[in-house]
Amino acid sequence: MPEVIVVTDETPLLRAENLTKYYDSSGGFLDSLLGNSQDVKAVDGVDLELYEGETLGVVGESGCGKSTLARALLRLVEPTDGSVYFQQRVEEDGEPAGRREVDLTTVSSDDLRDLRTDLQYIFQDPFSSLNPRLTVGDIIGEPLDIHDIATGDERTERIYELLETVGLNPSHTHRYPHEFSGGQRQRIGIARALAVDPEVIVCDEPVSALDVSVQAQILNLLEDLQDELGLSYIFIAHDLSVVEHISDRIAVMYLGEFAEVGSTDEVFSPPYHPYTEALLSAIPEPDPLWEGDQIFLPGTVPSPLDPPSGCRFHTRCPQIIQPAAYDLEQDVWRSVVDLKLRVKDAETLESIATVPDETPADDATSRTSIRELPSAQFESVIRSEYDLPTELSDSSAERALSQAIDELYEDNVTGATARLDDAFTSPCEKHHPEPAQTGTNHRIACLLQDERYDGDRFEAVDADSGSGSDNAVADD
Amino acid sequence: MSLLEVNDLTVKFYTEEGVVNAVDNLSFSIDRGEKFGVVGESGAGKSVTALSVMRLIESPGHIESGEVLFNGENLLEMSDEEIRSIRGNEIAMVFQDAQTALNPVYTVGEQISETIRHHLGYDETEAKERSIQLLDTVGIPDAESRFSDYPHEFSGGMQQRAIIAMALSCDPDLLICDEPTTALDVTIETKILQEIETLADEFDTAIQLITHDLGVVADVCDRVMVMYAGKPVEKAPVEELYYDPKHPYTVGLMSSIPRIGDERERLQTIPGTMPDLVDLPSGCSFHPRCPYAEESCTRSEPALVDPETGAVATDDDEHVAACLEYTGELTDGLGYEVTVRDSSDDAEVETVAGAKASSAVDTDVPDAGGDRRD
Ligand code: SF4
Ligand code: SF4
């Protein structure tokens, strides 16, 4: 057992360090025998702190790993790496006697079971997480039984009390989950979590399955309970406006990593992480006259099996940094990178661009493959597919681009790939951004906030890594 | 003549628990090229309305009465064959759950081609070409090679786009979208909504957009109908609905959504839940949850009226609401006020409940247990 240490106010109640969860995606024994096993990097080196009485919101799109993170934090799934430190209450002779730090990832399963009285979980789908064959009283009573908290009349009393706390009628203890509406079932889930008098509750999308009016009821209930019982929440959700409403601090997650962490105000005002900025701009405002500048992200979240190099957001980031050698319009630069990434992944020419409807065909049969187009048209189809101007403003960039298109025309995809890679490599593809402190509690993991970025270009310290752009267009 | 005109539609479901009044005496119309939103929570009757228009109500459901005029012809009286040729051809539908709309054992491309061949009589090569173009139009990258992917190889967002491509493949006059983006991430949602809008404008397709999301409606629609417990409670042009809501339920919905930049500590809530459709409350169905309900609300059922005059709604009325306030039957009136916050660059609407509504703000009490469905 770790020794008892004195805990000050600044010590987070729960702290994760380098928390990592990989899933093995291989098909099974044979795959692993052949060395085919591949890891899904669901959560990859996350650091987080949860302070007493606060709500830390975690947002991200589906597939960003937020639910896995929630589970790994409480060791509902076994983390692959990292630690989760919790300041556990200790009692001596029934009296509170400070706290001691335990690492949830290393405690024995017996200890972990005991710790469940401090750390609870509320699931997204209140229906499937409630045993349909148990009455509400038994669902709520179960944790009381498991941890020997109360029996007999005391148990009944406690169940009534809990039902009342979450706004349900105590006379409903003998009903079954299906007799309740979605919002009421979520209240039952909350009552079950509260039964053991926990300190931390991880709420995994607790309102996303509910109607808006009911959602508001549950959000208010969670806030009231927090005030009343001093609970700390980790609140996982995909809906930014819900997270903003309930959280004191917010972590924005992308492909298994935190892109940004900060107080709610900090995250919702500049400087932004480019991903957060895009997410924010995408929320449809309930106001018909609202004309937001929506930022469109190209593509979808890449596979966590093989996340992009450098900054994982670089395949979609509107602000991806240019090589020092160029000064292109930012959206043109983004388009160049889009073309480059597509060519890299392309198996055939056809997958790089399709012949648009209106392309004039000079013979009767319409062309279905760009391969059949004459060279000038081929080039213009490619450029228009990627919103590229007929000529890039930078002559060396233009030279590399048009040579690459020529190579594509000659069906030399490999050559084009190499040329594009040589000429157009962003620092964002090479350097993994470390979280940079941008405010008292605000950390952004983006090279734009890195001290090596001077507001215009990114200077890598080691000479080697910046090479992509420098010698790019010199070769022929 | 409107493209679609639904008159006095009533749909019931005969279940073991009793007769569910899914849609009750519903009328609305959609003009050619118009984007019409239907808003409400689960149990409001939004989807049943859509399914009735497609004549897809199945047992134990039954369309009791009413008519659904499409280009002046009553869909409810057509032969099965006639309705089939309209479905998919002139009226297409996009459901929330793309997965169920795609057959897992055929490639996405085959399914779209098949639809095109069936409805437009294209040959195989033509149909394939057209499908690839459509997939490209709805923003599927690499459409040519994606054509031969199976549905499971598509992400959720791509599946939904494929469904939209399929729905648009026959250039329908009316596209019914039932929560088309609810299962999707917000970054993809925006793109899909924009695609639906652009394509609809391009093809002059009318849209019936069914959603619970007031943000989505504000973004896309021209006109909106708010439904509660199987009935329309308010119909209005989109700006009027947001800036000058007339029905207490609409007001409640607007103020219960959390808004970015909103400093409110607590959200306003509509207490309780949607009533049991088997056993609807007497009078105004909303009265058990309405902060302004009075004795009379439990007795008389409010009709849809013009809130200015109190006269029964006609087709010409732009803005109508069903609340006794507008027929002079309330003693104390409605106590909310709407303030439009005008921050530097965009206007925000904040619906503030007035003094009388304070009971609603604090009544975060769920129903006494009478209801058992969602
Ligand atoms: S590091 Fe580069 S790609 Fe990543 S978010 Fe910052 S600018 Fe975008
Ligand atoms: S009729 Fe009465 S209960 Fe119904 S909305 Fe109006 S005030 Fe509320």
Side-chain angles (χ1 to χ4, degrees):
Chain A
M1 273 293 176
E3 65 193 80
V4 177
I5 52 163
V6 184
V7 173
T8 63
D9 272 356
E10 286 83 42
T11 312
L13 194 54
L14 192 74
R15 179 168 55 90
E17 240 172 50
N18 187 34
L19 190 61
T20 301
K21 175 64 189 174
Y22 291 172
Y23 290 105
D24 185 0
S25 78
S26 62
F29 175 69
L30 198 61
D31 269 348
S32 41
L33 200 69
L34 298 171
N36 283 348
S37 79
Q38 243 186 324
D39 286 328
V40 178
K41 300 184 170 106
V43 175
D44 208 0
V46 163
D47 294 337
L48 72 75
E49 304 92 36
L50 177 71
Y51 294 91
E52 210 173 325
E54 77 162 347
T55 301
L56 173 69
V58 180
V59 269
E61 296 174 277
S62 40
C64 74
K66 54 190 190 300
S67 283
T68 307
L69 171 67
R71 296 191 174 121
L73 274 172
L74 297 198
R75 223 173 119 192
L76 298 179
V77 298
E78 207 59 48
T80 312
D81 198 2
S83 305
V84 180
Y85 300 104
F86 173 63
Q87 307 298 330
Q88 188 180 20
R89 289 176 283 198
V90 257
E91 284 187 0
E92 258 163 43
D93 313 322
E95 293 294 312
R99 293 177 180 275
R100 68 160 169 250
E101 185 168 271
V102 289
D103 181 353
L104 298 181
T105 58
T106 56
V107 296
S108 70
S109 53
D110 275 355
D111 286 345
L112 187 64
R113 187 161 158 270
D114 287 344
L115 279 161
R116 296 277 177 246
T117 60
D118 293 320
L119 304 161
Q120 280 287 319
Y121 202 92
I122 299 174
F123 296 86
Q124 166 176 10
D125 183 350
F127 199 50
S128 60
S129 68
L130 302 176
N131 186 337
R133 280 182 294 276
L134 292 185
T135 64
V136 168
D138 284 332
I139 288 171
I140 300 173
E142 198 174 54
L144 298 176
D145 304 338
I146 292 177
H147 298 288
D148 284 329
I149 294 175
T151 50
D153 285 350
E154 202 191 331
R155 179 179 183 272
T156 318
E157 197 61 18
R158 179 91 180 115
I159 291 169
Y160 285 172
E161 201 182 284
L162 284 161
L163 282 170
E164 223 155 69
T165 310
V166 299
L168 290 171
N169 193 327
S171 69
H172 292 176
T173 39
H174 299 296
R175 295 197 181 177
Y176 289 89
H178 74 265
E179 297 179 65
F180 293 87
S181 69
Q184 290 172 321
R185 291 196 292 251
Q186 196 53 285
R187 288 173 195 269
I188 298 168
I190 295 171
R192 175 176 62 182
L194 291 178
V196 294
D197 185 21
E199 290 198 280
V200 175
I201 302 184
V202 175
C203 312
D204 187 3
E205 300 262 14
V207 296
S208 55
L210 304 176
D211 276 328
V212 273
S213 67
V214 181
Q215 165 183 305
Q217 294 171 5
I218 298 294
L219 290 174
N220 283 347
L221 173 66
L222 287 171
E223 291 194 298
D224 293 346
L225 292 172
Q226 180 165 52
D227 288 348
E228 227 169 276
L229 308 170
L231 298 167
S232 309
Y233 294 138
I234 291 190
F235 192 98
I236 311 279
H238 66 278
D239 186 333
L240 261 178
S241 31
V242 167
V243 167
E244 192 235 26
H245 177 78
I246 197 152
S247 308
D248 301 303
R249 287 192 306 124
I250 293 179
V252 180
M253 211 171 164
Y254 188 77
L255 270 182
E257 299 178 331
F258 277 180
E260 174 168 14
V261 194
S263 72
T264 304
D265 285 347
E266 286 169 324
V267 169
F268 282 75
S269 49
Y272 297 111
H273 187 282
Y275 177 58
T276 313
E277 195 175 9
L279 278 184
L280 270 172
S281 81
I283 302 169
E285 268 289 308
D287 180 348
L289 292 184
W290 176 73
E291 304 259 350
D293 272 332
Q294 293 184 326
I295 301 170
F296 290 99
L297 295 181
T300 48
V301 184
S303 160
L305 263 180
D306 182 19
S309 62
C311 171
R312 292 186 177 177
F313 188 48
H314 85 251
T315 56
R316 303 169 77 199
C317 179
Q319 294 175 44
I320 179 171
I321 299 171
Q322 303 190 27
Y326 306 133
D327 187 16
L328 300 169
E329 296 272 331
Q330 184 61 24
D331 54 339
V332 171
W333 163 241
R334 177 70 250 177
S335 303
V336 172
V337 178
D338 286 344
L339 171 68
K340 178 186 104 157
L341 295 174
R342 182 80 69 84
V343 170
K344 210 174 191 168
D345 284 342
E347 279 154 24
T348 62
L349 262 189
E350 283 74 15
S351 62
I352 295 169
T354 13
V355 185
D357 272 355
E358 61 278 5
T359 311
D362 36 355
D363 49 81
T365 59
S366 66
R367 302 170 192 280
T368 55
S369 164
I370 49 168
R371 194 183 289 280
E372 297 160 37
L373 295 173
S375 132
Q377 233 178 55
F378 178 88
E379 172 154 2
S380 78
V381 164
I382 297 267
R383 287 191 192 248
S384 79
E385 172 92 19
Y386 292 90
D387 288 325
L388 288 165
T390 39
E391 201 184 322
L392 298 185
S393 60
D394 182 297
S395 62
S396 61
E398 172 57 32
R399 198 152 3 108
L401 175 67
S402 58
Q403 283 168 349
I405 296 181
D406 286 347
E407 277 161 340
L408 286 177
Y409 182 68
E410 288 150 17
D411 207 1
N412 179 3
V413 179
T414 331
T417 306
R419 181 175 307 276
L420 291 169
D421 228 4
D422 241 16
F424 304 114
T425 292
S426 163
C428 303
E429 294 170 70
K430 304 190 137 188
H431 303 276
H432 185 263
E434 295 305 322
Q437 202 79 24
T438 48
T440 5
N441 297 307
H442 195 197
R443 299 194 300 265
I444 295 181
C446 165
L447 296 185
L448 292 172
Q449 309 299 333
D450 193 293
E451 53 192 25
R452 288 169 289 177
Y453 182 74
D454 69 357
D456 185 28
R457 55 187 57 196
F458 183 88
E459 296 296 352
V461 215
D462 60 294
D464 229 345
S465 53
S467 62
S469 53
D470 309 358
N471 54 13
V473 279
D475 52 359
D476 55 337
Chain B
M1 182 178 59
S2 300
L3 176 69
L4 179 77
E5 205 178 309
V6 173
N7 292 319
D8 307 320
L9 181 73
T10 297
V11 183
K12 296 192 166 153
F13 283 76
Y14 295 87
T15 68
E16 275 174 29
E17 285 103 66
V19 182
V20 177
N21 303 286
V23 169
D24 187 19
N25 213 357
L26 172 75
S27 304
F28 66 91
S29 61
I30 302 179
D31 286 335
R32 200 162 279 282
E34 185 181 34
K35 302 184 195 80
F36 183 74
V38 180
V39 177
E41 301 179 276
S42 34
K46 300 166 299 189
S47 299
V48 176
T49 307
L51 293 172
S52 310
V53 171
M54 296 286 276
R55 229 174 87 189
L56 287 171
I57 297 290
E58 283 174 4
S59 172
H62 186 245
I63 299 179
E64 301 285 307
S65 56
E67 48 179 19
V68 177
L69 302 177
F70 185 72
N71 281 324
E73 287 190 67
N74 191 350
L75 299 181
L76 302 183
E77 281 168 2
M78 286 186 178
S79 70
D80 285 353
E81 195 155 327
E82 286 170 313
I83 191 83
R84 253 197 306 267
S85 87
I86 288 207
R87 240 186 256 150
N89 223 347
E90 287 160 66
I91 307 180
M93 187 152 178
V94 175
F95 295 93
Q96 170 176 355
D97 191 356
Q99 242 143 359
T100 57
L102 288 168
N103 189 328
V105 301
Y106 298 104
T107 70
V108 174
E110 275 170 341
Q111 297 185 55
I112 301 177
S113 295
E114 184 47 40
T115 318
I116 296 176
R117 276 171 47 187
H118 179 80
H119 287 289
L120 302 179
Y122 279 30
D123 72 22
E124 209 161 315
T125 339
E126 286 169 339
K128 178 170 181 185
E129 239 171 76
R130 176 90 184 115
S131 310
I132 292 174
Q133 277 164 6
L134 276 165
L135 285 173
D136 190 57
T137 315
V138 297
I140 303 270
D142 204 357
E144 179 110 20
S145 62
R146 286 298 195 158
F147 178 87
S148 27
D149 277 5
Y150 285 92
H152 74 264
E153 298 174 81
F154 272 39
S155 68
M158 290 208 303
Q159 288 180 357
Q160 196 59 287
R161 283 169 204 226
I163 300 287
I164 292 170
M166 203 185 301
L168 289 168
S169 64
C170 308
D171 190 6
D173 291 330
L174 175 64
L175 179 64
I176 302 179
C177 303
D178 190 355
E179 305 271 10
T181 53
T182 304
L184 303 175
D185 283 319
V186 58
T187 51
I188 300 170
E189 168 173 68
T190 335
K191 276 191 261 188
I192 292 200
L193 289 176
Q194 189 141 66
E195 265 149 29
I196 293 180
E197 259 189 286
T198 324
L199 295 170
D201 287 342
E202 193 175 315
F203 298 110
D204 199 28
T205 305
I207 307 260
Q208 182 182 343
L209 179 71
I210 298 166
T211 176
H212 69 283
D213 189 330
L214 288 162
V216 168
V217 169
D219 202 14
V220 177
C221 298
D222 309 318
R223 225 154 41 86
V224 194
M225 168 168 75
V226 181
M227 289 186 74
Y228 186 78
K231 295 184 199 104
V233 294
E234 184 162 2
K235 273 188 267 184
V238 69
E239 286 172 26
E240 280 189 42
L241 188 88
Y242 285 74
Y243 297 133
D244 188 17
K246 292 294 186 195
H247 195 279
Y249 176 64
T250 314
V251 174
L253 270 187
M254 302 252 196
S255 43
S256 60
I257 35 177
R259 306 274 301 266
I260 302 277
D262 183 347
E263 301 287 313
R264 284 180 300 172
E265 271 296 308
R266 288 174 66 84
L267 296 168
Q268 285 178 34
T269 63
I270 306 176
T273 46
M274 192 65 84
D276 189 343
L277 295 175
V278 172
D279 184 17
L280 283 173
S282 62
C284 173
S285 311
F286 188 52
H287 86 252
R289 306 177 71 191
C290 180
Y292 315 110
E294 297 180 6
E295 174 63 30
S296 52
C297 305
T298 63
R299 278 184 279 106
S300 26
E301 185 178 334
L304 267 182
V305 297
D306 177 338
E308 300 302 321
T309 63
V312 173
T314 67
D315 271 356
D316 299 330
D317 286 321
E318 288 256 280
H319 195 164
V320 296
C323 170
L324 295 179
E325 164 72 1
Y326 305 112
T327 45
E329 286 167 81
L330 291 190
T331 330
D332 291 339
L334 303 178
Y336 62 82
E337 56 187 278
V338 179
T339 52
V340 178
R341 260 195 294 156
D342 197 8
S343 57
S344 54
D345 48 357
D346 57 357
E348 283 182 44
V349 187
E350 186 182 20
T351 316
V352 177
K356 201 190 161 207
S358 57
S359 62
V361 184
D362 296 327
T363 335
D364 181 23
V365 199
D367 52 334
D371 90 285
R372 286 189 282 112
R373 15 182 98 242
D374 271 352

